[in-house]
Amino acid sequence: MQEETENKVHIITGAGSGIGRACVKLLSKKPGKLVLVDFNQESLDSLVVELKQESNTDSNDVLTLNLSVSSASDMSKMATETMERFGRIDCLIASAGILRLGGTLKMIADTSLEEWNAVLETNLTGTFLSNQAVLPAMLEQKRGDIINISSTSGRQGRPFDGPYSASKFGIIGLSESLAEEVSIQGIRVQTVLPDAVETPLWDQNGPAALKPVSALPPERVAEFILFLLDLPRDTYLPNPVIAPMKQRKKRGKKS
């Protein structure tokens, strides 16, 4: 069992920032191999430097791939290069995502097809393509874990976030369908629905800067994801929500 644990290979998309980056840092403290996927090479480079400084990660245990989740050929390359380097794929954490194209809040009536496609192609199609790419290896192994990141916006639509909400609703449906198809093959598919999380995603609001009053650090979501991965193989949590507790208002002293 120890040998199997030490050889586990985790792929994290959106590894360069936010929840993905937090997952990488936690996983780097455990035995195993890491495949870091992001479209931003600078973010990947800085992450590797941090891993070496903070957890003395062996460079032989890390594969960085500057790829786009919205590209079928890139996701195929992700799986191929992972198999060539490490020989197996045990886990995919599909964390890549965007909030909107540009920083302008828009009603659906004013949303262009380009803006719609940019969000859906990254969030929903990207989740589909990354999931699909790792399935052959997992089906061959008859074992694997897939964690897809949705949102509470995938349970209730939010104003001015029509494309984002639609993509996150879609991730839930996609994940539920896939789970029904492959659970009998030993592959566990789970979806996490974070509420407000303090990540660079909020910066995509641009001048609107709609940061929440109370938000979870991405590390808290990463800890929850690792908890899901450590569940017994006959157990899963269906579409769990993780959210910050509302902060109590401090009462002033009475005179």
Side-chain angles (χ1 to χ4, degrees):
M1 290 296 293
Q2 184 68 16
E3 181 180 359
E4 180 183 1
T5 299
E6 290 180 350
N7 287 328
K8 277 194 173 180
V9 178
H10 296 80
I11 299 176
I12 303 94
T13 69
S17 64
I19 294 171
R21 195 180 188 97
C23 287
V24 170
K25 288 193 172 185
L26 284 181
L27 286 167
S28 71
K29 298 175 183 178
K30 297 177 175 289
K33 319 294 184 184
L34 296 172
V35 181
L36 316 182
V37 181
D38 202 281
F39 73 96
N40 188 318
Q41 184 64 53
E42 290 184 5
S43 295
L44 288 174
D45 292 342
S46 67
L47 176 56
V48 170
V49 170
E50 288 179 19
L51 293 181
K52 290 179 180 179
Q53 293 174 342
E54 296 174 8
S55 56
N56 296 317
T57 303
D58 189 330
S59 59
N60 293 324
D61 294 335
V62 179
L63 173 63
T64 60
L65 298 173
N66 182 206
L67 301 171
S68 170
V69 295
S70 62
S71 165
S73 60
D74 276 10
M75 290 299 91
S76 177
K77 183 178 181 181
M78 175 187 76
T80 298
E81 294 203 13
T82 299
M83 292 298 291
E84 288 176 353
R85 176 75 170 268
F86 297 126
R88 61 185 296 115
I89 299 173
D90 295 286
C91 173
L92 167 69
I93 300 173
S95 181
I98 62 174
L99 181 60
R100 61 174 56 88
L101 186 64
T104 304
L105 297 177
K106 289 187 178 180
M107 297 176 64
I108 291 174
D110 300 321
T111 299
S112 69
L113 182 59
E114 179 189 9
E115 291 165 326
W116 170 269
N117 285 340
V119 177
L120 270 291
E121 286 173 4
T122 299
N123 296 359
L124 182 54
T125 303
T127 300
F128 161 71
L129 290 173
S130 61
N131 282 211
Q132 188 180 60
V134 303
L135 284 172
M138 290 185 177
L139 289 169
E140 179 69 23
Q141 296 163 189
K142 297 190 182 303
R143 186 182 179 95
D145 272 290
I146 294 175
I147 303 282
N148 292 325
I149 309 300
S150 180
S151 166
T152 51
S153 293
R155 290 179 56 174
Q156 179 174 348
R158 305 287 175 88
F160 309 108
D161 276 333
Y164 181 78
S165 292
S167 71
K168 294 302 184 176
F169 268 87
I171 288 172
I172 295 172
L174 170 67
S175 303
E176 290 179 347
S177 294
L178 180 58
E180 290 293 324
E181 292 174 358
V182 299
S183 62
I184 197 171
Q185 302 292 331
I187 301 170
R188 182 170 54 184
V189 182
Q190 300 182 85
T191 312
V192 178
L193 281 62
D195 192 29
V197 182
E198 188 65 49
T199 74
L201 198 71
W202 290 104
D203 295 336
Q204 292 166 14
N205 282 307
L210 296 176
K211 289 193 176 182
V213 174
S214 177
L216 289 170
E219 292 77 17
R220 197 73 67 247
V221 182
E223 290 166 356
F224 185 64
I225 289 171
L226 266 62
F227 166 77
L228 295 179
L229 293 176
D230 287 338
L231 288 172
R233 294 304 304 174
D234 62 354
T235 307
Y236 84 110
L237 290 181
N239 303 330
V241 171
I242 178 169
M245 288 185 65
K246 292 182 179 179
Q247 298 297 317
R248 277 179 146 183
K249 292 182 179 179
K250 294 183 178 180
R251 296 181 178 178
K253 292 183 179 180
K254 292 182 178 181
S255 55

